[in-house]
Amino acid sequence: MSTDPRQAFENHERLKAELRIRGTSLAQIGRDLGISGTSMSLVGLGKHRSKRIERAIAEALGTTPEKLYPERY
């Protein structure tokens, strides 16, 4: 993810939109994992890293963490 805060926010919003299109959300994935919505957002924004969360988001989008977050891998 870009270090530019605006770009990180735009990427995060795209991620949330893609999840909504697929019938889920960061909050729902967080509930399924037993993780707070805040933690989910921090990972989505690129402020924190969690391979577990990244993997769950990627699976919900039908991709891999490496494709979803190439700058992290």
Side-chain angles (χ1 to χ4, degrees):
M1 200 158 285
S2 171
T3 56
D4 174 21
R6 182 175 169 193
Q7 185 64 46
F9 178 76
E10 289 174 6
N11 291 343
H12 182 65
E13 290 301 311
R14 275 192 215 68
L15 175 78
K16 292 190 316 183
E18 282 294 324
L19 289 169
R20 276 193 304 274
I21 289 167
R22 294 170 189 267
T24 192
S25 65
L26 286 175
Q28 183 59 54
I29 294 169
R31 283 190 293 273
D32 293 345
L33 295 174
I35 297 170
S36 74
T38 301
S39 292
M40 296 298 294
S41 290
L42 290 172
V43 170
L45 282 164
K47 294 182 184 267
H48 290 278
R49 239 186 123 176
S50 166
K51 288 187 178 191
R52 180 177 172 216
I53 294 172
E54 290 170 3
R55 185 173 43 251
I57 293 169
E59 286 175 6
L61 295 174
T63 189
T64 65
E66 293 82 7
K67 288 182 182 174
L68 189 59
Y69 303 104
E71 67 285 346
R72 297 181 190 182
Y73 287 89

